[in-house]
Amino acid sequence: MDFYELVKKRQSTRAFDTSRTVDREIIGRILEAARLSPSACNAQPWHFIVVDEPELKNKVADAASARLLGMNHFTKQAPVHIIVVEEKVNITSGIGGVVKDKHFAFLDIGIAAAHICLAAEAEGLGSCILGWFAESKMKKLLNIPDNRRVVLDILIGYPAQPLREKKRKKTEEIISYNTYK
């Protein structure tokens, strides 16, 4: 698939085909795209936990939803959750982050997440990046050390919804050349 067509097709999937599982070989290819993604000073500050065992996956989905607020009520439909844990950066990235007042690990994880979602789309799968979840519950369920942060939960599965028209700001609202307008 042409890259630009891939970008046009990729959307946040919030309805998954519950009758279809995702083969681990496909997940492996998707995570290889994330592993190869760039990071500041090659720090690679991430650890990916693939949750595909049905009972555990449902518990993780519960930790990612807030029924009262209507947040992420679709999470149990996804056959795979990829939990992204922030790892310590290397010394160069850490010093650079302090000097430039930027948390490079979050930027790097965002790049890896984009790679995951585009790779999933290339495989004919849907994805949805979640930042809303009960981190303490995720840590307990997945044996994540207290000194680590759970940054994202990326849902992966076969979409059960049509492609939607993208509503985006106009180009001239978000792009300028040589000066801020």
Side-chain angles (χ1 to χ4, degrees):
M1 183 184 311
D2 173 80
F3 178 74
Y4 297 102
E5 287 302 313
L6 181 72
V7 169
K8 286 179 186 174
K9 275 188 65 183
R10 197 269 154 195
Q11 64 184 5
S12 291
T13 300
R14 292 183 179 87
F16 294 91
D17 182 345
T18 56
S19 69
R20 297 181 73 183
T21 59
V22 179
D23 187 76
R24 281 192 175 178
E25 185 177 313
I26 295 171
I27 295 298
R29 287 194 299 265
I30 291 168
L31 289 173
E32 180 64 3
R35 189 183 74 82
L36 294 173
S37 67
S39 61
C41 304
N42 201 27
Q44 304 169 57
W46 48 62
H47 183 90
F48 306 105
I49 302 172
V50 177
V51 182
D52 61 358
E53 189 280 313
E55 188 176 320
L56 180 59
K57 187 237 1 146
N58 285 338
K59 289 177 182 176
V60 165
D62 285 339
S65 65
R67 303 266 184 248
L68 236 46
L69 299 173
M71 297 294 292
N72 304 334
H73 58 277
F74 57 92
T75 53
K76 280 189 179 175
Q77 295 175 13
V80 178
H81 289 242
I82 298 174
I83 307 304
V84 185
V85 179
E86 177 186 1
E87 293 295 321
K88 295 178 193 279
V89 296
N90 59 25
I91 188 102
T92 314
S93 181
I95 291 170
V98 169
V99 170
K100 291 300 180 182
D101 192 26
K102 293 191 187 217
H103 192 69
F104 287 119
F106 282 175
L107 301 173
D108 297 340
I109 287 169
I111 294 166
H115 278 62
I116 287 169
C117 292
L118 290 170
E121 186 67 40
E123 294 282 353
L125 297 165
S127 62
C128 189
I129 302 171
L130 304 178
W132 176 284
F133 47 81
E135 184 176 8
S136 59
K137 287 182 183 176
M138 290 279 196
K139 285 181 171 184
K140 186 174 181 180
L141 286 167
L142 303 172
N143 302 309
I144 298 167
D146 287 338
N147 66 343
R148 295 293 188 264
R149 293 289 318 267
V150 179
V151 180
L152 299 172
D153 178 1
I154 304 174
L155 309 181
I156 303 286
Y158 290 94
Q161 66 186 64
L163 190 61
R164 301 178 304 273
E165 181 183 339
K166 290 191 181 216
K167 296 177 183 172
R168 298 293 189 262
K169 293 179 181 179
K170 293 180 181 180
T171 304
E172 55 273 8
E173 292 180 61
I174 63 164
I175 299 171
S176 62
Y177 290 88
N178 302 314
T179 188
Y180 183 90
K181 289 186 182 180

